[in-house]
Amino acid sequence: QMVPSYTLLVEVRDMAGQPFGLCSTGTAVIKIEDTNDNAPSFKQIQYETRVEENRVNVEILRISVTDADEPRSPSSGAVFEIIRGNDDRSFEITTDRNTNEGILCVVKGLDYESAKQRILVIAVNNEAPYMLAPHSQQLSQSTCSVTVNVLDMDEGPVFKPCVLRLDVKECEDIGTSIGRYLAEDPETGNSEGICYRIPPGQCNWISIDEKSGEVRTIKVLDRDVGEMRRGECNITVLAIDRNGKTGTGTIQVFIRPGNKNYPRILKTEYIMCRDRKPICLTAEDSDESPYSAPFVYRITDRNLASSWKISRHNDNSVYLSPKGDIPFGTYSIPVSVTDNGGKVGEHYIKVNYCDCVTPTECIEEPRVLRSGNVTLGVWAILAMILGSLLLLLILITICGCCGSGVMHRQVTDDCANHNLIISNTEAPGEEVMDHNIIPLQTANDHGGYGIKTGEQQTFEMAKGRGHTLESVKGCGHQTLGSVREGGGQNMMDTCRYSYSEWHNFTHPRLGEKVHLCRQDEEQKHSEDYLLSYNYEGKGSLAGSVGCCSDQQEEEALDFLDQLEPKFRTLAETCVKR
């Protein structure tokens, strides 16, 4: 349009416009609205610019247009569009409202190694639609071309692909290799000199080899444990080249369900009555599909497999029943269960084939204490046995102490203490020290040794089988008390005996000892025999004579050092007294 508005002065007069009539004036302003009847056009048909590779969100070019329509109106407002060369949407063009220029930007990094130059075709239109006059020529769209040159830059390594998915089977061993993740240097196109590492602060499921980029597990991945319940984790990996340039990539680790559990039969003990109703065996597996049902059951013992059979019920259960008549009793049947992943679980099915109508008739009731209604367990029985043994040990100890006391009393008590013992010898003998043994002589061919300790006198046989008057009490031998009282009165009652009683006691026992006393070391009879003397009253001042006399020098008592065991015990007893 040439003139945007018109201003008119208008007069109005009455009396039909006669000059003499009255009049008045006014102003009318007529504005001409612009229509979009002119198309915008580029000032240049071709443009050229450049940009560094991998740069993003950077302005690389401004494009100007002309439009004959009213400025700053929708009829002249430019709208730009890239109609060719931007298939990957790496570029974007917008309009500057103040200058009505097109602003060309890079929104995605360009790769010099992929394309060194990009050519774009850009078209322009107005905001308002075109309104053409009748019979006017159709307006044509204005376009221009833009050549973008990509500049080569030293860039960091690039992972291919940017995101790598790795599937790991559940419960794999630590250190299992699950894949490789490599980056390349865009300038060289290879992975030489690139190092890899995983920044800290991420889920530590995997590790990556610094040189080769091999990815391995560093723990057993189990979907039932802690942070692994989600079954996946995203891990960022860094690639660093020789120049210190860094590239990043992402590994997505997914844990696939594995066959980690054995199938197991829920119940293994059954009672079968004489109707031989089949037993239903049911197994379960904690693994997810496809490592659980269906299960395969099999009797592993050939002998039992000939008399028992398994029939299918469903994917989880089977029926176990005998093939024919079998005797009553308890059967332990080995049954294997194989899941869909090939893992086998072994079980023993205990079947009590009982002569019953209902299984409850063959259930064994536990033994219960009637008073307290408590089952007597193994530890209770063991405690009772240990208590009994302890009580028995105490009783044996008490009895042993009492018995040793009685024996000690029998050895030490001397009924002849402070009493005169008639020895039927010519002289009663002389008192000697505790360690001496004095041979005694009798008026016949019997004799004995006597030991006198202070005022106590004890008689014992010459050899190891001798007995004292007190030591033979209660031992089944004839004692002096039994000779005197016929065995009915204890010798401890009086401790005084007559000559005849003493003689009757010693006579049958001293013969053998006297006979042995008459022999020397070479088993020859001594020249000096024991001589018999009649009883002459209270005795004589003269001592006994003969080889058995005690009238010897002290040096002749060396035989006491070589006494037999029983004589040694006698000597020790005398020393104590």
Side-chain angles (χ1 to χ4, degrees):
Q1 68 184 28
M2 300 302 293
V3 179
S5 64
Y6 292 91
T7 302
L8 303 177
L9 180 63
V10 181
E11 181 187 63
V12 59
R13 184 182 296 270
D14 60 3
M15 296 301 290
Q18 295 296 324
F20 52 84
L22 300 176
C23 67
S24 176
T25 60
T27 302
V29 178
I30 301 174
K31 291 184 177 181
I32 307 300
E33 293 184 357
D34 185 28
T35 60
N36 191 15
D37 55 352
N38 296 291
S41 61
F42 290 100
K43 291 183 178 181
Q44 293 180 223
I45 298 176
Q46 292 184 351
Y47 294 88
E48 186 174 357
T49 187
R50 61 182 181 179
V51 64
E52 298 174 352
E53 64 175 337
N54 298 321
R55 294 197 64 183
V56 295
N57 298 325
V58 59
E59 177 183 326
I60 60 174
L61 182 65
R62 281 182 173 261
I63 302 174
S64 300
V65 295
T66 60
D67 196 323
D69 293 322
E70 183 180 2
R72 300 181 182 277
S73 68
S75 298
S76 62
V79 177
F80 299 91
E81 179 185 6
I82 302 174
I83 61 177
R84 190 165 56 246
N86 192 31
D87 296 335
D88 58 354
R89 299 186 179 277
S90 298
F91 301 91
E92 185 179 82
I93 189 167
T94 58
T95 302
D96 187 344
R97 296 298 179 184
N98 296 322
T99 61
N100 205 30
E101 294 176 330
I103 302 173
L104 182 63
C105 299
V106 178
V107 295
K108 185 184 297 185
L110 302 178
D111 186 8
Y112 174 83
E113 288 73 25
S114 299
K116 297 179 177 61
Q117 188 181 77
R118 300 285 295 271
I119 299 177
L120 306 177
V121 176
I122 300 175
V124 63
N125 292 297
N126 291 130
E127 296 178 8
Y130 293 113
M131 297 185 66
L132 301 179
H135 309 292
S136 62
Q137 186 178 359
Q138 183 70 29
L139 298 177
S140 60
Q141 187 181 40
S142 177
T143 61
C144 72
S145 64
V146 179
T147 301
V148 180
N149 296 313
V150 181
L151 302 180
D152 187 17
M153 301 295 294
D154 184 11
E155 53 190 337
V158 178
F159 282 98
K160 293 183 179 181
C162 295
V163 179
L164 176 65
R165 172 175 176 144
L166 295 177
D167 292 334
V168 185
K169 186 182 294 185
E170 189 176 17
C171 293
E172 288 281 3
D173 295 334
I174 296 176
T176 300
S177 177
I178 58 176
R180 297 181 70 187
Y181 195 28
L182 300 178
E184 295 180 355
D185 188 340
E187 281 73 29
T188 62
N190 56 52
S191 301
E192 294 181 0
I194 297 178
C195 299
Y196 306 91
R197 67 183 183 89
I198 297 176
Q202 307 181 77
C203 52
N204 56 339
W205 294 4
I206 62 173
S207 65
I208 186 168
D209 187 83
E210 183 178 358
K211 301 298 182 182
S212 64
E214 186 175 13
V215 181
R216 294 179 178 271
T217 60
I218 59 175
K219 61 171 57 176
V220 177
L221 303 183
D222 191 345
R223 295 171 61 93
D224 298 332
V225 177
E227 62 180 4
M228 304 180 191
R229 295 184 186 277
R230 294 189 301 112
E232 63 179 88
C233 182
N234 293 336
I235 301 172
T236 301
V237 182
L238 300 180
I240 306 171
D241 62 10
R242 294 187 180 96
N243 298 325
K245 297 289 185 178
T246 303
T248 60
T250 302
I251 297 179
Q252 293 180 333
V253 180
F254 290 86
I255 304 176
R256 292 188 291 107
N259 193 14
K260 63 178 181 179
N261 297 301
Y262 292 93
R264 61 186 185 90
I265 298 177
L266 300 179
K267 183 180 179 182
T268 57
E269 294 187 2
Y270 296 89
I271 296 176
M272 177 181 288
C273 291
R274 54 175 172 261
D275 58 357
R276 292 186 296 181
K277 182 179 179 180
I279 296 170
C280 184
L281 303 179
T282 302
E284 70 172 11
D285 194 327
S286 300
D287 296 324
E288 298 180 5
S289 179
Y291 301 108
S292 54
F295 301 121
V296 177
Y297 294 76
R298 187 173 67 89
I299 299 176
T300 57
D301 187 273
R302 293 184 178 180
N303 295 330
L304 292 174
S306 62
S307 56
W308 293 82
K309 64 179 180 179
I310 289 178
S311 56
R312 176 181 168 82
H313 174 54
N314 54 36
D315 288 347
N316 297 329
S317 304
V318 295
Y319 288 115
L320 176 65
S321 60
K323 292 183 178 180
D325 293 334
I326 58 175
F328 294 110
T330 301
Y331 296 85
S332 182
I333 306 172
V335 177
S336 65
V337 185
T338 307
D339 61 17
N340 198 39
K343 212 152 196 176
V344 181
E346 298 286 345
H347 302 81
Y348 280 89
I349 307 301
K350 182 180 178 181
V351 180
N352 182 11
Y353 183 35
C354 183
D355 187 9
C356 61
V357 178
T358 59
T360 56
E361 299 177 11
C362 293
I363 297 177
E364 296 181 359
E365 297 182 359
R367 283 183 279 184
V368 178
L369 297 177
R370 296 182 179 179
S371 60
N373 195 26
V374 179
T375 303
L376 192 61
V378 176
W379 289 107
I381 297 175
L382 183 60
M384 294 173 61
I385 294 175
L386 293 177
S388 301
L389 293 176
L390 181 60
L391 181 59
L392 180 60
L393 180 62
I394 293 174
L395 294 176
I396 292 175
T397 304
I398 294 175
C399 293
C401 293
C402 294
S404 62
V406 173
M407 294 176 62
H408 180 71
R409 181 179 179 184
Q410 290 178 352
V411 172
T412 59
D413 290 347
D414 191 356
C415 295
N417 191 20
H418 303 290
N419 293 281
L420 179 62
I421 299 177
I422 303 174
S423 60
N424 195 24
T425 59
E426 181 179 3
E430 297 178 0
E431 183 174 329
V432 296
M433 299 303 293
D434 290 345
H435 62 278
N436 294 331
I437 298 178
I438 303 174
L440 299 179
Q441 299 178 359
T442 59
N444 47 29
D445 291 338
H446 300 77
Y449 294 120
I451 300 175
K452 185 174 182 181
T453 60
E455 294 181 356
Q456 298 180 358
Q457 294 180 351
T458 305
F459 291 83
E460 187 175 341
M461 298 299 104
K463 294 298 181 180
R465 295 184 300 167
H467 303 276
T468 65
L469 294 179
E470 284 75 21
S471 64
V472 298
K473 290 191 296 182
C475 298
H477 299 281
Q478 184 183 15
T479 65
L480 186 57
S482 64
V483 175
R484 181 179 182 183
E485 302 294 342
Q489 184 177 0
N490 194 303
M491 192 176 68
M492 295 297 294
D493 294 341
T494 174
C495 294
R496 294 181 181 274
Y497 309 99
S498 64
Y499 169 77
S500 60
E501 292 171 346
W502 170 254
H503 183 271
N504 292 335
F505 175 77
T506 58
H507 179 74
R509 293 170 173 80
L510 300 180
E512 180 182 358
K513 304 303 177 183
V514 173
H515 178 72
L516 295 175
C517 185
R518 294 175 181 176
Q519 298 179 2
D520 54 14
E521 296 178 355
E522 298 180 356
Q523 304 299 322
K524 296 181 180 180
H525 286 285
S526 170
E527 296 179 357
D528 188 5
Y529 288 92
L530 294 175
L531 302 179
S532 301
Y533 296 89
N534 291 329
Y535 180 70
E536 297 180 358
K538 296 182 179 179
S540 172
L541 296 177
S544 300
V545 296
C547 64
C548 295
S549 175
D550 62 344
Q551 302 298 323
Q552 301 182 20
E553 296 181 356
E554 293 182 358
E555 291 77 3
L557 299 178
D558 295 338
F559 71 94
L560 293 176
D561 297 332
Q562 291 82 28
L563 294 177
E564 294 181 1
K566 291 187 177 181
F567 280 93
R568 189 177 301 111
T569 303
L570 177 61
E572 293 174 357
T573 302
C574 294
V575 171
K576 292 179 181 179
R577 297 178 60 183

